[in-house]
Amino acid sequence: MIKDWLQNTTVRRFLILLLFCLVLFSMGSMLHMILLLFLVTYVMNRLQHFITGQLNRLFPINYKVVVILLYLIVIAAIVLGISKYSPRIVDQVIQLTNEIIKFLDTAEGDNYASKIAGYLQSFDIKNYTNNALKYIFALSKGLEFILLVIILSLFFLLQKQEIVKFTSKFKTSKLGWFYKEVAYLGDKFVSSFGKVIEAQLLIAVFNTVLTMLGLWILGYPYLFALTILVFLLSLVPVAGVVISLVPLCLIGYQMGGLQLSIIVIVMIIIIHALETYFLNPKLMAHKTKLPMFYTFIVLILSQHFLGIWGLIIGIPIFVFLLDILDVNKMEKSNEPVRVDSKL
């Protein structure tokens, strides 16, 4: 009975997937390194493919040269950012946090401000801002962690052909059946999870550039800190846009009252509309379009189990599971879905 049950391909694949999940969760803090390693390696590999393809039209070039140049640029950017801009960014983050706390503490004399402050205090906004500062200072101490991820990613991309060749030897081994299922899951993971993450990154860059341009025109302070804030929150689908409005509107209210806050809200709505109707369909056309209800449920559950990482990778993981279940194939059918009127 159990043997027949295990012969089912879907059951076998989900058992292997469950095994991998248990192994990953048993790694504890190393899970952060693995997730970051995958993200860095995937993005750098895609950049390498694009740049190599463009350069090969002009002159032949070895992909390893492109990989080394890309990582040299990344390392130089990190060194420059730490030496020149990190003190400025940390200072602006502290000032921005103090401005938010100051707004919450001195909003009693203003009707609108007191209502907003009361609403924000119900979410314990001070605790979130203090935690944000802790993460900022923790990142400044995590250079060893980031350096290790960059080195491992570099070695993987430089030797990816040798790694694929060596790994393929398991295909004819006694674990050939296991290799076959893992290879299938790996292909699905890269084609769904990886591409959704790539789309989220591109959308985050798009939102950040347009938002910072608008804030610069409006004369906003703390642009370095706000750039990082908007970019990170833009990686969180739907909810990130709403959360980013809180500090932007608070600063706008202190600068120019309710009028400037409304201008900022309208600006964010326009940018989000451009993303939703023009950029998102091109990047996510081949993926399942999730209703907002599903999006929030996935974000809540993934944040509960994975913390901050869950807000970023929760949706890609869910899309990956849908891909394994062939839910995307349902989109090819034009038959309307019937809903029972009794519900």
Side-chain angles (χ1 to χ4, degrees):
M1 179 68 180
I2 297 178
K3 186 177 180 180
D4 294 335
W5 187 58
L6 291 175
Q7 290 297 322
N8 186 292
T9 303
T10 303
V11 172
R12 189 167 63 244
R13 286 171 180 169
F14 268 93
L15 286 176
I16 293 173
L17 186 61
L18 179 61
L19 175 63
F20 273 102
C21 291
L22 291 174
V23 171
L24 288 174
F25 274 104
S26 67
M27 292 181 176
S29 60
M30 282 191 67
L31 180 61
H32 300 293
M33 186 181 76
I34 293 171
L35 291 171
L36 186 60
L37 178 61
F38 173 81
L39 291 177
V40 171
T41 305
Y42 180 84
V43 171
M44 297 300 280
N45 186 53
R46 294 285 292 176
L47 278 174
Q48 176 270 129
H49 272 292
F50 175 77
I51 294 172
T52 303
Q54 296 299 315
L55 291 177
N56 278 332
R57 295 180 181 180
L58 304 174
F59 53 86
I61 186 171
N62 192 306
Y63 82 93
K64 292 184 179 180
V65 176
V66 177
V67 169
I68 293 173
L69 289 174
L70 280 174
Y71 277 87
L72 286 176
I73 293 172
V74 169
I75 293 172
I78 291 174
V79 171
L80 180 65
I82 291 171
S83 61
K84 188 174 181 180
Y85 295 107
S86 61
R88 192 173 177 182
I89 292 172
V90 171
D91 183 58
Q92 287 195 8
V93 169
I94 294 173
Q95 291 182 39
L96 178 59
T97 304
N98 291 334
E99 286 291 334
I100 294 174
I101 295 174
K102 181 181 177 182
F103 173 84
L104 296 176
D105 292 336
T106 61
E108 295 182 0
D110 190 313
N111 187 30
Y112 290 109
S114 59
K115 289 181 179 179
I116 296 171
Y119 180 74
L120 292 176
Q121 285 174 343
S122 66
F123 287 96
D124 199 8
I125 196 70
K126 289 185 180 180
N127 185 40
Y128 282 113
T129 53
N130 290 330
N131 286 335
L133 282 176
K134 291 179 182 178
Y135 278 113
I136 291 293
F137 290 119
L139 285 174
S140 64
K141 299 177 181 178
L143 294 179
E144 183 181 347
F145 172 81
I146 295 172
L147 182 62
L148 179 60
V149 167
I150 291 174
I151 291 173
L152 289 174
S153 177
L154 174 61
F155 285 162
F156 178 86
L157 291 184
L158 288 177
Q159 294 188 313
K160 63 181 179 180
Q161 293 178 344
E162 292 84 352
I163 292 172
V164 171
K165 185 177 180 181
F166 177 80
T167 308
S168 64
K169 293 180 181 180
F170 288 94
K171 190 174 183 180
T172 55
S173 70
K174 293 181 180 180
L175 291 174
W177 63 273
F178 186 77
Y179 171 87
K180 180 181 177 182
E181 300 301 340
V182 171
Y184 171 83
L185 292 173
D187 288 339
K188 286 286 188 181
F189 187 79
V190 173
S191 65
S192 57
F193 182 97
K195 290 183 178 179
V196 172
I197 281 288
E198 181 185 356
Q200 286 184 196
L201 286 170
L202 290 174
I203 290 170
V205 171
F206 173 84
N207 285 339
T208 304
V209 170
L210 290 185
T211 302
M212 288 305 106
L213 181 61
L215 296 180
W216 176 72
I217 293 172
L218 293 173
Y220 262 61
Y222 318 121
L223 289 182
F224 278 106
L226 289 175
T227 299
I228 296 175
L229 176 69
V230 172
F231 177 76
L232 292 177
L233 289 175
S234 295
L235 293 173
V236 182
V238 183
V241 177
V242 178
I243 298 171
S244 66
L245 274 174
V246 174
L248 297 182
C249 288
L250 290 180
I251 296 172
Y253 189 84
Q254 289 181 312
M255 289 174 56
L258 186 61
Q259 183 179 0
L260 185 56
S261 296
I262 293 174
I263 291 174
V264 172
I265 293 173
V266 172
M267 180 188 75
I268 297 298
I269 291 174
I270 293 173
I271 292 173
H272 187 62
L274 289 173
E275 171 215 315
T276 302
Y277 294 106
F278 293 99
L279 186 63
N280 219 341
K282 291 182 180 180
L283 295 175
M284 305 287 283
H286 62 293
K287 295 299 171 189
T288 303
K289 296 177 179 63
L290 297 179
M292 192 173 293
F293 174 79
Y294 275 92
T295 300
F296 278 110
I297 291 297
V298 171
L299 288 175
I300 292 169
L301 292 176
S302 57
Q303 193 277 334
H304 175 75
F305 289 107
L306 297 174
I308 297 295
W309 272 107
L311 296 175
I312 299 174
I313 66 172
I315 297 299
I317 289 176
F318 187 66
V319 172
F320 165 63
L321 293 175
L322 294 179
D323 213 9
I324 293 178
L325 295 170
D326 291 331
V327 174
N328 291 337
K329 290 184 179 180
M330 295 172 62
E331 292 186 350
K332 297 178 181 179
S333 173
N334 293 323
E335 184 177 344
V337 179
R338 298 182 63 182
V339 181
D340 192 345
S341 59
K342 295 180 181 180
L343 299 177

